[in-house]
Amino acid sequence: MSQEQPRRPQEDKQQDKPEPIKYGDVFPVSGDLAKKPIAPQDANMMQTAETMVFGQTQKGGPAAVMQSATTRNERSGLVRHDQATDVGGNEGVTVTETDVPGSRIVTEAVGGQVIGQYVQPTPVAQVAAGGFMEQNAITIGEALEASAQTAGDKPIDQSDAAAIQAAEVRATGSNVISPGGLAAMAQSAAAHNAGTLREQDKIKLTDVLSGATGKLPADKAATRQDAEGIASAELRNNPEMGTRPGGVAASVTAAARLNENIKM
């Protein structure tokens, strides 16, 4: 009599493979977005957008939830570090503000679907350099400070230095680089890092951009034109011809988009 040993079906083995955390697992979204794994670059974009509005990421907010989910997805080998969903990349990750009497409503969305909402007291309107009122507008200096938080551990290279110089020129309206200013510090840091082998000895973005607003002799609200000019400078000096998610150009671009939403 022959006896067959029971075998574990191949499909059972496949069931052991972990599933990625998807948008629908942690947020009240539907359709195609609900089936998408939360990707690292989506989380970085939301972190940058939250930092622009709140000054930091919100504890337990959408950016924190996304970061936690994508860390697990990446460690499990289910997503790449440079991966973004087509929904987040094409339709956008946004934080918009709506003013109502006595407060403002902040809405966070991915691909047009709301994943978080906050109600805050209405901040005091500020007078811009031109003499007109700009409420809640994010400045170039504030965008640089945001990149110090979202990509602060990145060693400064020539593309970062070029972007920071372009940002200083845009913020001040002057092509003259101030000795000891942000642009001069960034250029010095890039030169130092180029000749430094050990990663821990290199100067990071946070070393130069922390408190950037106070280091600029003048500042202004970030616009789409500013973002394009800064991105162009970063791209021209990057051998890979790309901008870093959460970096200088990306942060100014996020600020410009948020400012456009404020005006709507």
Side-chain angles (χ1 to χ4, degrees):
M1 260 175 33
S2 65
Q3 293 183 341
E4 288 189 59
Q5 295 294 327
R7 294 184 184 180
R8 187 176 184 180
Q10 185 67 27
E11 53 267 25
D12 287 348
K13 293 182 181 180
Q14 292 177 350
Q15 288 176 0
D16 291 339
K17 185 177 180 181
E19 286 287 322
I21 299 176
K22 304 179 181 69
Y23 277 98
D25 296 331
V26 292
F27 296 119
V29 296
S30 59
D32 192 36
L33 179 62
K35 305 172 188 175
K36 298 286 185 182
I38 299 178
Q41 299 313 320
D42 291 10
N44 284 340
M45 286 188 286
M46 184 58 78
Q47 186 177 6
T48 298
E50 275 195 11
T51 301
M52 296 296 183
V53 173
F54 301 113
Q56 60 185 7
T57 54
Q58 298 298 286
K59 185 176 181 179
V65 172
M66 291 171 70
Q67 193 63 57
S68 177
T70 195
T71 296
R72 178 181 178 277
N73 287 346
E74 191 174 348
R75 284 177 180 171
S76 300
L78 302 171
V79 295
R80 302 186 314 276
H81 181 67
D82 61 350
Q83 185 173 331
T85 63
D86 52 357
V87 178
N90 297 333
E91 299 181 42
V93 170
T94 61
V95 178
T96 58
E97 301 171 285
T98 304
D99 289 322
V100 296
S103 62
R104 64 172 175 168
I105 300 171
V106 181
T107 303
E108 302 186 45
V110 175
Q113 296 196 50
V114 175
I115 62 172
Q117 203 164 56
Y118 307 85
V119 178
Q120 296 185 328
T122 303
V124 178
Q126 296 180 341
V127 180
F132 55 89
M133 302 295 282
E134 282 192 24
Q135 189 172 1
N136 307 331
I138 300 163
T139 68
I140 292 174
E142 290 169 336
L144 294 177
E145 291 179 357
S147 67
Q149 295 187 45
T150 56
D153 60 346
K154 178 187 183 296
I156 293 177
D157 59 22
Q158 190 54 47
S159 67
D160 299 315
I164 292 168
Q165 180 175 332
E168 182 176 291
V169 168
R170 292 276 178 171
T172 63
S174 171
N175 289 318
V176 178
I177 303 304
S178 304
L182 283 179
M185 291 170 62
Q187 288 291 349
S188 177
H192 167 83
N193 290 347
T196 302
L197 295 178
R198 297 201 311 170
E199 199 76 6
Q200 60 266 37
D201 294 333
K202 294 183 178 181
I203 300 171
K204 311 295 196 299
L205 278 173
T206 189
D207 298 325
V208 172
L209 295 182
S210 292
T213 302
K215 297 175 183 177
L216 288 169
D219 204 359
K220 67 182 287 289
T223 66
R224 182 182 300 182
Q225 291 73 27
D226 296 326
E228 290 173 351
I230 294 165
S232 177
E234 188 170 314
L235 282 167
R236 286 197 308 271
N237 290 273
N238 187 344
E240 297 178 0
M241 291 302 293
T243 59
R244 176 184 172 85
V248 175
S251 294
V252 177
T253 298
R257 287 175 178 168
L258 291 170
N259 287 344
E260 288 182 347
N261 289 332
I262 289 170
K263 295 176 182 179
M264 292 175 63

